[in-house]
Short mmCIF file of all heavy atoms in Angstrom, two decimals:
data_model
loop_
_atom_site.label_atom_id
_atom_site.label_comp_id
_atom_site.label_asym_id
_atom_site.label_seq_id
_atom_site.Cartn_x
_atom_site.Cartn_y
_atom_site.Cartn_z
N MET A 1 137.57 90.48 121.14
CA MET A 1 136.47 89.60 120.81
C MET A 1 136.45 89.29 119.31
O MET A 1 136.65 90.20 118.51
CB MET A 1 135.20 90.14 121.32
CG MET A 1 134.08 89.16 121.43
SD MET A 1 132.56 89.97 121.99
CE MET A 1 131.74 90.26 120.50
N TYR A 2 136.12 87.99 118.92
CA TYR A 2 136.09 87.64 117.48
C TYR A 2 134.90 88.26 116.87
O TYR A 2 133.77 88.27 117.27
CB TYR A 2 136.01 86.14 117.39
CG TYR A 2 135.83 85.68 115.99
CD1 TYR A 2 136.90 85.70 115.09
CD2 TYR A 2 134.57 85.23 115.61
CE1 TYR A 2 136.63 85.20 113.83
CE2 TYR A 2 134.34 84.76 114.28
CZ TYR A 2 135.36 84.76 113.46
OH TYR A 2 135.09 84.36 112.18
N GLN A 3 135.19 89.04 115.77
CA GLN A 3 134.11 89.58 114.94
C GLN A 3 134.03 88.87 113.63
O GLN A 3 134.95 88.61 112.97
CB GLN A 3 134.41 91.10 114.66
CG GLN A 3 133.79 92.01 115.67
CD GLN A 3 133.74 93.46 115.00
OE1 GLN A 3 134.75 93.86 114.53
NE2 GLN A 3 132.71 94.14 115.17
N LYS A 4 132.81 88.51 113.29
CA LYS A 4 132.60 87.79 112.01
C LYS A 4 132.78 88.82 110.83
O LYS A 4 132.48 89.94 110.90
CB LYS A 4 131.11 87.28 111.94
CG LYS A 4 130.86 86.09 112.86
CD LYS A 4 129.48 85.48 112.59
CE LYS A 4 129.35 84.24 113.31
NZ LYS A 4 128.03 83.63 113.05
N PRO A 5 133.45 88.31 109.80
CA PRO A 5 133.74 89.09 108.64
C PRO A 5 132.32 89.52 107.97
O PRO A 5 131.37 88.76 108.03
CB PRO A 5 134.55 88.30 107.77
CG PRO A 5 134.36 86.90 108.15
CD PRO A 5 134.03 86.87 109.56
N LYS A 6 132.35 90.74 107.46
CA LYS A 6 131.17 91.27 106.81
C LYS A 6 131.44 91.89 105.51
O LYS A 6 132.46 92.50 105.30
CB LYS A 6 130.48 92.41 107.68
CG LYS A 6 129.51 91.95 108.73
CD LYS A 6 128.99 93.09 109.56
CE LYS A 6 127.51 93.34 109.36
NZ LYS A 6 126.99 94.43 110.21
N ILE A 7 130.54 91.67 104.61
CA ILE A 7 130.59 92.38 103.26
C ILE A 7 129.30 93.08 103.20
O ILE A 7 128.27 92.55 102.95
CB ILE A 7 130.71 91.40 102.08
CG1 ILE A 7 132.07 90.58 102.24
CG2 ILE A 7 130.70 92.15 100.83
CD1 ILE A 7 132.29 89.53 101.26
N GLY A 8 129.34 94.41 103.27
CA GLY A 8 128.06 95.24 103.41
C GLY A 8 127.32 94.67 104.65
O GLY A 8 127.78 94.69 105.74
N GLN A 9 126.12 94.32 104.41
CA GLN A 9 125.20 93.88 105.43
C GLN A 9 125.28 92.41 105.66
O GLN A 9 124.62 91.80 106.59
CB GLN A 9 123.72 94.25 105.21
CG GLN A 9 123.48 95.78 105.08
CD GLN A 9 123.82 96.47 106.43
OE1 GLN A 9 123.34 96.02 107.48
NE2 GLN A 9 124.64 97.47 106.31
N ILE A 10 126.07 91.72 104.84
CA ILE A 10 126.13 90.22 104.83
C ILE A 10 127.27 89.83 105.75
O ILE A 10 128.37 90.12 105.54
CB ILE A 10 126.26 89.66 103.41
CG1 ILE A 10 125.14 90.05 102.58
CG2 ILE A 10 126.38 88.16 103.52
CD1 ILE A 10 125.30 89.84 101.11
N GLU A 11 126.83 89.05 106.78
CA GLU A 11 127.77 88.49 107.76
C GLU A 11 128.12 87.11 107.39
O GLU A 11 127.30 86.28 107.04
CB GLU A 11 127.07 88.52 109.09
CG GLU A 11 128.07 88.48 110.28
CD GLU A 11 127.34 88.60 111.63
OE1 GLU A 11 126.67 87.60 112.04
OE2 GLU A 11 127.48 89.62 112.23
N LEU A 12 129.42 86.86 107.30
CA LEU A 12 129.96 85.52 106.90
C LEU A 12 130.29 84.70 108.09
O LEU A 12 130.69 85.21 109.19
CB LEU A 12 131.20 85.70 105.97
CG LEU A 12 131.03 86.54 104.72
CD1 LEU A 12 132.34 86.55 104.02
CD2 LEU A 12 129.93 85.96 103.81
N ASP A 13 130.25 83.44 107.98
CA ASP A 13 130.54 82.49 109.10
C ASP A 13 131.94 82.12 109.29
O ASP A 13 132.41 81.37 110.13
CB ASP A 13 129.71 81.13 108.94
CG ASP A 13 128.31 81.32 109.37
OD1 ASP A 13 128.06 82.23 110.26
OD2 ASP A 13 127.44 80.65 108.89
N GLY A 14 132.83 82.66 108.48
CA GLY A 14 134.23 82.41 108.44
C GLY A 14 135.07 83.22 107.47
O GLY A 14 134.37 84.04 106.68
N TRP A 15 136.26 82.99 107.35
CA TRP A 15 137.18 83.76 106.56
C TRP A 15 137.52 83.03 105.18
O TRP A 15 138.01 83.64 104.32
CB TRP A 15 138.46 84.14 107.19
CG TRP A 15 138.19 85.09 108.36
CD1 TRP A 15 137.98 84.81 109.65
CD2 TRP A 15 138.13 86.55 108.21
NE1 TRP A 15 137.75 85.97 110.37
CE2 TRP A 15 137.94 87.06 109.50
CE3 TRP A 15 138.39 87.42 107.11
CZ2 TRP A 15 137.77 88.43 109.76
CZ3 TRP A 15 138.23 88.73 107.38
CH2 TRP A 15 137.95 89.27 108.70
N ALA A 16 137.14 81.70 105.08
CA ALA A 16 137.53 81.00 103.90
C ALA A 16 136.40 81.10 102.84
O ALA A 16 135.25 80.67 103.11
CB ALA A 16 137.76 79.43 104.23
N VAL A 17 136.73 81.71 101.76
CA VAL A 17 135.69 81.83 100.72
C VAL A 17 136.15 81.25 99.40
O VAL A 17 137.38 81.09 99.15
CB VAL A 17 135.29 83.26 100.40
CG1 VAL A 17 134.65 83.98 101.69
CG2 VAL A 17 136.40 84.04 99.91
N LEU A 18 135.23 80.76 98.60
CA LEU A 18 135.65 79.95 97.31
C LEU A 18 136.05 81.02 96.28
O LEU A 18 135.24 81.96 96.08
CB LEU A 18 134.44 79.11 96.81
CG LEU A 18 134.69 78.32 95.60
CD1 LEU A 18 135.61 77.20 95.91
CD2 LEU A 18 133.40 77.81 95.03
N ALA A 19 137.19 80.88 95.68
CA ALA A 19 137.67 81.90 94.72
C ALA A 19 136.81 81.65 93.41
O ALA A 19 136.30 80.56 93.20
CB ALA A 19 139.12 81.60 94.43
N PRO A 20 136.71 82.74 92.65
CA PRO A 20 136.01 82.65 91.33
C PRO A 20 136.83 81.68 90.44
O PRO A 20 137.95 81.98 90.24
CB PRO A 20 135.86 84.03 90.82
CG PRO A 20 136.99 84.76 91.58
CD PRO A 20 137.11 84.12 92.87
N MET A 21 136.19 80.71 89.90
CA MET A 21 136.88 79.77 88.82
C MET A 21 136.02 79.54 87.75
O MET A 21 135.09 78.67 87.78
CB MET A 21 137.39 78.53 89.60
CG MET A 21 138.54 78.75 90.53
SD MET A 21 139.01 77.14 91.35
CE MET A 21 137.76 76.86 92.42
N ALA A 22 136.22 80.22 86.61
CA ALA A 22 135.45 79.89 85.30
C ALA A 22 135.56 78.48 84.96
O ALA A 22 136.70 77.93 85.00
CB ALA A 22 135.94 80.85 84.26
N GLY A 23 134.51 77.85 84.65
CA GLY A 23 134.46 76.36 84.23
C GLY A 23 134.58 75.44 85.36
O GLY A 23 134.61 74.28 85.16
N VAL A 24 134.60 75.93 86.60
CA VAL A 24 134.77 74.95 87.77
C VAL A 24 133.64 75.17 88.74
O VAL A 24 132.90 74.19 89.14
CB VAL A 24 136.11 75.26 88.46
CG1 VAL A 24 136.23 74.38 89.70
CG2 VAL A 24 137.30 74.98 87.50
N SER A 25 133.40 76.50 89.17
CA SER A 25 132.48 76.70 90.31
C SER A 25 131.06 76.75 89.88
O SER A 25 130.29 77.78 90.00
CB SER A 25 132.88 77.96 91.05
OG SER A 25 133.19 79.04 90.20
N ASP A 26 130.53 75.53 89.34
CA ASP A 26 129.17 75.45 89.05
C ASP A 26 128.40 75.14 90.35
O ASP A 26 128.82 75.01 91.35
CB ASP A 26 128.91 74.39 87.91
CG ASP A 26 129.36 73.00 88.35
OD1 ASP A 26 129.68 72.71 89.51
OD2 ASP A 26 129.39 72.11 87.44
N LEU A 27 126.95 75.01 90.18
CA LEU A 27 126.15 74.88 91.35
C LEU A 27 126.52 73.79 92.22
O LEU A 27 126.70 73.91 93.40
CB LEU A 27 124.67 74.71 90.88
CG LEU A 27 123.61 74.95 91.97
CD1 LEU A 27 122.28 75.38 91.28
CD2 LEU A 27 123.33 73.66 92.66
N ALA A 28 126.74 72.53 91.61
CA ALA A 28 127.13 71.33 92.39
C ALA A 28 128.42 71.57 93.18
O ALA A 28 128.47 71.25 94.39
CB ALA A 28 127.19 70.19 91.54
N TYR A 29 129.38 72.15 92.51
CA TYR A 29 130.69 72.37 93.19
C TYR A 29 130.57 73.36 94.35
O TYR A 29 131.17 73.17 95.43
CB TYR A 29 131.69 72.94 92.14
CG TYR A 29 133.03 73.11 92.58
CD1 TYR A 29 133.95 72.05 92.48
CD2 TYR A 29 133.59 74.28 93.14
CE1 TYR A 29 135.18 72.12 92.98
CE2 TYR A 29 134.89 74.34 93.52
CZ TYR A 29 135.69 73.28 93.45
OH TYR A 29 137.08 73.42 93.89
N ARG A 30 129.65 74.46 94.20
CA ARG A 30 129.50 75.47 95.17
C ARG A 30 128.80 74.89 96.37
O ARG A 30 129.15 75.15 97.57
CB ARG A 30 128.76 76.67 94.62
CG ARG A 30 129.45 77.42 93.57
CD ARG A 30 128.78 78.77 93.32
NE ARG A 30 127.33 78.63 93.06
CZ ARG A 30 126.75 78.51 91.93
NH1 ARG A 30 127.47 78.55 90.83
NH2 ARG A 30 125.43 78.47 91.88
N VAL A 31 127.82 74.02 96.16
CA VAL A 31 127.08 73.36 97.29
C VAL A 31 128.07 72.51 98.07
O VAL A 31 128.09 72.56 99.32
CB VAL A 31 125.90 72.52 96.71
CG1 VAL A 31 125.30 71.58 97.83
CG2 VAL A 31 124.76 73.42 96.24
N ILE A 32 128.85 71.74 97.37
CA ILE A 32 129.93 70.98 98.09
C ILE A 32 130.89 71.80 98.87
O ILE A 32 131.19 71.55 100.03
CB ILE A 32 130.71 70.06 97.11
CG1 ILE A 32 129.81 69.03 96.51
CG2 ILE A 32 131.85 69.37 97.76
CD1 ILE A 32 130.31 68.23 95.27
N ALA A 33 131.29 72.97 98.18
CA ALA A 33 132.26 73.85 98.91
C ALA A 33 131.58 74.39 100.23
O ALA A 33 132.25 74.52 101.25
CB ALA A 33 132.69 74.99 97.97
N ARG A 34 130.33 74.73 100.16
CA ARG A 34 129.64 75.17 101.36
C ARG A 34 129.64 74.11 102.46
O ARG A 34 129.88 74.48 103.60
CB ARG A 34 128.27 75.73 100.92
CG ARG A 34 128.22 77.00 100.19
CD ARG A 34 128.51 78.24 101.05
NE ARG A 34 127.22 78.55 101.87
CZ ARG A 34 127.36 79.11 103.10
NH1 ARG A 34 128.52 79.30 103.62
NH2 ARG A 34 126.22 79.35 103.68
N ARG A 35 129.33 72.94 102.06
CA ARG A 35 129.21 71.81 103.04
C ARG A 35 130.62 71.62 103.59
O ARG A 35 130.67 71.18 104.73
CB ARG A 35 128.78 70.61 102.35
CG ARG A 35 127.24 70.54 102.12
CD ARG A 35 126.70 69.23 101.70
NE ARG A 35 125.39 69.34 101.08
CZ ARG A 35 124.94 68.48 100.19
NH1 ARG A 35 125.61 67.51 99.75
NH2 ARG A 35 123.67 68.76 99.69
N MET A 36 131.71 71.87 102.86
CA MET A 36 133.04 71.63 103.35
C MET A 36 133.60 72.78 104.15
O MET A 36 134.71 72.75 104.48
CB MET A 36 133.93 71.19 102.17
CG MET A 36 133.53 69.93 101.41
SD MET A 36 133.59 68.46 102.40
CE MET A 36 135.33 68.22 102.53
N GLY A 37 132.79 73.83 104.28
CA GLY A 37 133.16 74.96 105.06
C GLY A 37 133.51 76.34 104.46
O GLY A 37 133.81 77.19 105.26
N ALA A 38 133.25 76.46 103.17
CA ALA A 38 133.39 77.79 102.62
C ALA A 38 132.31 78.65 103.17
O ALA A 38 131.16 78.36 103.19
CB ALA A 38 133.28 77.69 101.10
N ALA A 39 132.76 79.87 103.56
CA ALA A 39 131.78 80.85 104.14
C ALA A 39 130.95 81.48 103.06
O ALA A 39 129.92 82.02 103.33
CB ALA A 39 132.46 81.83 105.10
N MET A 40 131.57 81.53 101.91
CA MET A 40 130.86 82.21 100.72
C MET A 40 131.42 81.59 99.50
O MET A 40 132.54 81.14 99.48
CB MET A 40 131.17 83.66 100.79
CG MET A 40 130.41 84.48 99.71
SD MET A 40 130.82 86.31 99.81
CE MET A 40 132.32 86.37 98.87
N THR A 41 130.64 81.57 98.47
CA THR A 41 131.06 81.04 97.20
C THR A 41 130.87 82.10 96.14
O THR A 41 130.24 83.19 96.35
CB THR A 41 130.26 79.79 96.72
OG1 THR A 41 128.90 80.10 96.67
CG2 THR A 41 130.45 78.62 97.74
N THR A 42 131.48 81.80 94.81
CA THR A 42 131.42 82.72 93.82
C THR A 42 130.89 81.86 92.60
O THR A 42 131.51 80.77 92.37
CB THR A 42 132.75 83.35 93.50
OG1 THR A 42 133.38 83.70 94.75
CG2 THR A 42 132.64 84.48 92.59
N ALA A 43 130.08 82.43 91.89
CA ALA A 43 129.59 81.70 90.72
C ALA A 43 130.61 81.82 89.52
O ALA A 43 131.60 82.56 89.68
CB ALA A 43 128.24 82.25 90.15
N GLU A 44 130.36 81.00 88.42
CA GLU A 44 131.24 81.07 87.34
C GLU A 44 130.98 82.45 86.67
O GLU A 44 130.00 83.08 86.84
CB GLU A 44 130.86 79.95 86.37
CG GLU A 44 131.14 78.61 86.89
CD GLU A 44 130.82 77.59 85.73
OE1 GLU A 44 131.69 77.32 84.92
OE2 GLU A 44 129.75 77.08 85.73
N MET A 45 131.89 82.82 85.74
CA MET A 45 131.65 84.06 84.96
C MET A 45 130.54 83.69 84.03
O MET A 45 130.44 82.64 83.40
CB MET A 45 132.94 84.33 84.10
CG MET A 45 133.87 85.26 84.76
SD MET A 45 135.07 85.97 83.61
CE MET A 45 136.04 84.44 83.17
N VAL A 46 129.61 84.69 83.89
CA VAL A 46 128.48 84.46 83.04
C VAL A 46 128.47 85.58 81.95
O VAL A 46 128.67 86.69 82.23
CB VAL A 46 127.21 84.63 83.82
CG1 VAL A 46 126.01 84.41 83.00
CG2 VAL A 46 127.13 83.57 84.97
N SER A 47 128.36 85.12 80.62
CA SER A 47 128.37 85.96 79.60
C SER A 47 127.19 86.89 79.43
O SER A 47 126.06 86.48 79.37
CB SER A 47 128.49 85.23 78.31
OG SER A 47 128.08 86.01 77.15
N ALA A 48 127.45 88.25 79.49
CA ALA A 48 126.38 89.25 79.37
C ALA A 48 125.70 89.05 77.92
O ALA A 48 124.51 89.22 77.85
CB ALA A 48 126.90 90.66 79.44
N LYS A 49 126.47 88.76 76.84
CA LYS A 49 125.90 88.54 75.57
C LYS A 49 124.99 87.36 75.58
O LYS A 49 123.91 87.33 74.98
CB LYS A 49 127.12 88.20 74.55
CG LYS A 49 126.96 88.97 73.29
CD LYS A 49 128.26 88.79 72.49
CE LYS A 49 128.35 89.66 71.34
NZ LYS A 49 129.52 89.60 70.61
N GLY A 50 125.35 86.20 76.31
CA GLY A 50 124.53 85.04 76.48
C GLY A 50 123.23 85.35 77.04
O GLY A 50 122.24 84.89 76.70
N LEU A 51 123.20 86.26 78.15
CA LEU A 51 121.96 86.65 78.74
C LEU A 51 121.09 87.59 77.81
O LEU A 51 119.85 87.34 77.68
CB LEU A 51 122.31 87.46 80.03
CG LEU A 51 122.87 86.71 81.17
CD1 LEU A 51 123.26 87.70 82.31
CD2 LEU A 51 121.94 85.65 81.69
N TYR A 52 121.73 88.41 77.08
CA TYR A 52 121.01 89.29 76.14
C TYR A 52 120.31 88.50 75.05
O TYR A 52 119.09 88.75 74.73
CB TYR A 52 122.01 90.24 75.56
CG TYR A 52 121.37 91.22 74.48
CD1 TYR A 52 120.67 92.23 74.87
CD2 TYR A 52 121.41 90.91 73.10
CE1 TYR A 52 119.99 93.13 74.06
CE2 TYR A 52 120.77 91.74 72.27
CZ TYR A 52 120.04 92.84 72.69
OH TYR A 52 119.40 93.67 71.75
N TYR A 53 120.97 87.34 74.56
CA TYR A 53 120.36 86.66 73.57
C TYR A 53 119.62 85.39 74.18
O TYR A 53 119.23 84.43 73.50
CB TYR A 53 121.41 86.10 72.60
CG TYR A 53 122.02 87.16 71.71
CD1 TYR A 53 123.24 87.74 71.79
CD2 TYR A 53 121.14 87.73 70.68
CE1 TYR A 53 123.74 88.73 71.09
CE2 TYR A 53 121.67 88.80 69.90
CZ TYR A 53 122.90 89.21 70.08
OH TYR A 53 123.34 90.33 69.28
N LYS A 54 119.33 85.41 75.44
CA LYS A 54 118.54 84.52 76.23
C LYS A 54 119.01 83.01 75.92
O LYS A 54 118.17 82.15 75.73
CB LYS A 54 117.03 84.68 75.85
CG LYS A 54 116.46 86.06 76.11
CD LYS A 54 115.00 85.96 76.04
CE LYS A 54 114.31 87.42 76.17
NZ LYS A 54 115.02 88.38 77.13
N ASN A 55 120.34 82.85 75.97
CA ASN A 55 120.86 81.47 75.80
C ASN A 55 120.51 80.66 76.99
O ASN A 55 120.78 81.07 78.11
CB ASN A 55 122.40 81.59 75.61
CG ASN A 55 123.06 80.26 75.33
OD1 ASN A 55 123.29 79.52 76.35
ND2 ASN A 55 123.44 80.02 74.11
N GLU A 56 119.91 79.48 76.73
CA GLU A 56 119.51 78.63 77.84
C GLU A 56 120.54 78.13 78.73
O GLU A 56 120.54 78.19 79.94
CB GLU A 56 118.67 77.37 77.28
CG GLU A 56 117.92 76.57 78.27
CD GLU A 56 117.00 77.50 79.27
OE1 GLU A 56 116.33 78.46 78.69
OE2 GLU A 56 117.14 77.32 80.38
N LYS A 57 121.81 77.78 78.14
CA LYS A 57 122.92 77.37 78.91
C LYS A 57 123.44 78.44 79.81
O LYS A 57 123.84 78.17 80.93
CB LYS A 57 124.01 76.91 78.00
CG LYS A 57 123.89 75.43 77.48
CD LYS A 57 125.04 74.98 76.71
CE LYS A 57 124.83 73.55 76.24
NZ LYS A 57 125.75 73.20 75.17
N THR A 58 123.37 79.70 79.38
CA THR A 58 123.77 80.86 80.17
C THR A 58 122.94 80.97 81.30
O THR A 58 123.37 81.25 82.40
CB THR A 58 123.86 82.11 79.24
OG1 THR A 58 124.72 81.84 78.08
CG2 THR A 58 124.44 83.25 79.98
N ARG A 59 121.61 80.96 81.05
CA ARG A 59 120.64 81.15 82.17
C ARG A 59 120.77 80.04 83.20
O ARG A 59 120.62 80.29 84.38
CB ARG A 59 119.15 81.21 81.61
CG ARG A 59 118.89 82.46 80.73
CD ARG A 59 117.64 82.26 79.88
NE ARG A 59 116.47 82.34 80.64
CZ ARG A 59 115.71 83.43 80.68
NH1 ARG A 59 115.98 84.52 79.96
NH2 ARG A 59 114.63 83.42 81.37
N GLU A 60 121.11 78.86 82.67
CA GLU A 60 121.27 77.72 83.65
C GLU A 60 122.34 77.99 84.67
O GLU A 60 122.27 77.69 85.79
CB GLU A 60 121.67 76.53 82.82
CG GLU A 60 121.54 75.17 83.49
CD GLU A 60 120.14 74.70 83.78
OE1 GLU A 60 119.15 75.21 83.22
OE2 GLU A 60 119.90 73.87 84.66
N MET A 61 123.49 78.81 84.17
CA MET A 61 124.64 79.06 84.97
C MET A 61 124.28 79.94 86.14
O MET A 61 124.99 80.14 87.07
CB MET A 61 125.69 79.74 84.20
CG MET A 61 126.35 78.71 83.23
SD MET A 61 127.40 79.42 82.01
CE MET A 61 128.93 79.64 83.10
N LEU A 62 123.13 80.70 86.05
CA LEU A 62 122.67 81.63 87.07
C LEU A 62 121.84 81.02 88.16
O LEU A 62 121.53 81.65 89.18
CB LEU A 62 121.89 82.76 86.46
CG LEU A 62 122.80 83.75 85.64
CD1 LEU A 62 121.79 84.75 85.01
CD2 LEU A 62 123.83 84.44 86.37
N LYS A 63 121.52 79.72 88.05
CA LYS A 63 120.77 79.03 89.10
C LYS A 63 121.55 78.95 90.40
O LYS A 63 122.69 78.60 90.36
CB LYS A 63 120.33 77.67 88.61
CG LYS A 63 119.20 77.66 87.64
CD LYS A 63 118.68 76.28 87.46
CE LYS A 63 117.51 76.29 86.46
NZ LYS A 63 117.20 75.11 85.82
N ILE A 64 120.95 79.24 91.49
CA ILE A 64 121.47 79.26 92.79
C ILE A 64 120.66 78.34 93.71
O ILE A 64 119.36 78.52 93.78
CB ILE A 64 121.67 80.67 93.29
CG1 ILE A 64 122.68 81.47 92.59
CG2 ILE A 64 122.06 80.62 94.87
CD1 ILE A 64 122.70 82.88 92.86
N ASP A 65 121.20 77.42 94.42
CA ASP A 65 120.50 76.59 95.36
C ASP A 65 120.05 77.38 96.55
O ASP A 65 120.88 78.18 97.12
CB ASP A 65 121.40 75.43 95.85
CG ASP A 65 120.67 74.44 96.66
OD1 ASP A 65 120.12 73.46 96.11
OD2 ASP A 65 120.63 74.53 97.94
N PRO A 66 118.80 77.22 97.01
CA PRO A 66 118.34 78.15 98.12
C PRO A 66 119.25 78.02 99.43
O PRO A 66 119.40 78.95 100.09
CB PRO A 66 116.98 77.53 98.48
CG PRO A 66 116.46 76.75 97.24
CD PRO A 66 117.83 76.28 96.47
N GLY A 67 120.01 76.78 99.53
CA GLY A 67 120.77 76.61 100.75
C GLY A 67 122.16 77.07 100.65
O GLY A 67 122.89 77.04 101.53
N GLU A 68 122.54 77.63 99.43
CA GLU A 68 124.02 77.94 99.29
C GLU A 68 124.34 79.45 99.51
O GLU A 68 125.49 79.85 99.41
CB GLU A 68 124.55 77.53 97.86
CG GLU A 68 123.90 78.25 96.76
CD GLU A 68 124.71 78.07 95.45
OE1 GLU A 68 125.94 78.10 95.49
OE2 GLU A 68 124.03 77.78 94.40
N HIS A 69 123.43 80.21 99.92
CA HIS A 69 123.79 81.66 100.13
C HIS A 69 124.72 81.79 101.31
O HIS A 69 124.71 81.01 102.26
CB HIS A 69 122.48 82.46 100.45
CG HIS A 69 121.65 82.60 99.24
ND1 HIS A 69 121.92 83.43 98.18
CD2 HIS A 69 120.50 81.92 98.86
CE1 HIS A 69 120.97 83.38 97.30
NE2 HIS A 69 120.18 82.43 97.66
N PRO A 70 125.64 82.79 101.40
CA PRO A 70 125.78 83.82 100.48
C PRO A 70 126.70 83.43 99.21
O PRO A 70 127.58 82.72 99.36
CB PRO A 70 126.51 84.83 101.24
CG PRO A 70 127.28 84.09 102.27
CD PRO A 70 126.43 82.92 102.55
N VAL A 71 126.14 83.81 97.99
CA VAL A 71 126.92 83.53 96.77
C VAL A 71 127.46 84.84 96.20
O VAL A 71 126.67 85.72 96.19
CB VAL A 71 126.07 82.89 95.73
CG1 VAL A 71 126.80 82.60 94.51
CG2 VAL A 71 125.36 81.65 96.35
C1 FMN B 101 140.63 76.82 87.03
C2 FMN B 101 140.61 78.23 87.51
C3 FMN B 101 139.73 79.23 87.10
C4 FMN B 101 139.80 80.56 87.47
N1 FMN B 101 138.88 81.37 86.96
C5 FMN B 101 138.91 82.68 87.43
C6 FMN B 101 137.91 83.60 87.04
O1 FMN B 101 137.06 83.28 86.26
N2 FMN B 101 137.95 84.86 87.47
C7 FMN B 101 138.86 85.26 88.41
O2 FMN B 101 138.86 86.44 88.85
N3 FMN B 101 139.85 84.36 88.85
C8 FMN B 101 139.81 83.12 88.43
N4 FMN B 101 140.78 82.20 88.90
C9 FMN B 101 141.68 82.65 89.92
C10 FMN B 101 141.29 82.20 91.33
O3 FMN B 101 140.07 82.90 91.65
C11 FMN B 101 142.21 82.58 92.36
O4 FMN B 101 142.45 84.00 92.47
C12 FMN B 101 143.63 81.95 92.12
O5 FMN B 101 143.42 80.55 91.96
C13 FMN B 101 144.59 82.17 93.26
O6 FMN B 101 144.10 81.71 94.47
P1 FMN B 101 145.01 81.50 95.79
O7 FMN B 101 145.57 82.87 96.10
O8 FMN B 101 144.07 81.03 96.85
O9 FMN B 101 145.97 80.46 95.45
C14 FMN B 101 140.70 80.88 88.41
C15 FMN B 101 141.64 79.92 88.96
C16 FMN B 101 141.52 78.65 88.55
C17 FMN B 101 142.47 77.61 89.14
#
């Protein structure tokens, strides 16, 4: 019987997931990838230093659309 892939408690709808791509996988790209069948997406790399210094562009990169989980 087909078992859905799981990461911890999170059950995925398929095996195709979006690879992490710095400078590419922003929110709009991830939403499109989910609509096109990606079972899970990965955000861009986010600078810890940017978060520490409360950089607005860095915080913007952490925005996640409510419909795009699991990210
Ligand atoms: C433009 C671009 C940016 C990438 N950025 C990252 C990254 O930030 N972190 C990472 O672990 N891999 C990064 N990768 C590697 C991809 O996640 C992936 O491992 C690679 O493209 C191989 O995928 P494939 O085996 O499906 O061909 C990047 C790849 C591309 C093409």
Side-chain angles (χ1 to χ4, degrees):
M1 198 177 97
Y2 172 77
Q3 263 198 315
K4 286 187 173 183
K6 269 178 115 180
I7 299 176
Q9 297 300 307
I10 300 167
E11 201 172 71
L12 304 181
D13 281 333
W15 292 91
V17 301
L18 184 70
M21 288 182 285
V24 177
S25 45
D26 60 12
L27 194 153
Y29 188 85
R30 295 195 309 267
V31 168
I32 293 168
R34 288 282 285 145
R35 283 189 196 152
M36 298 298 286
M40 186 181 82
T41 59
T42 316
E44 294 184 83
M45 267 193 296
V46 179
S47 158
K49 227 174 192 175
L51 290 176
Y52 179 80
Y53 289 108
K54 302 193 186 324
N55 181 285
E56 195 46 48
K57 279 186 182 168
T58 303
R59 290 163 77 102
E60 194 72 20
M61 289 170 83
L62 290 175
K63 281 191 180 161
I64 292 172
D65 186 89
E68 67 167 311
H69 291 282
V71 182

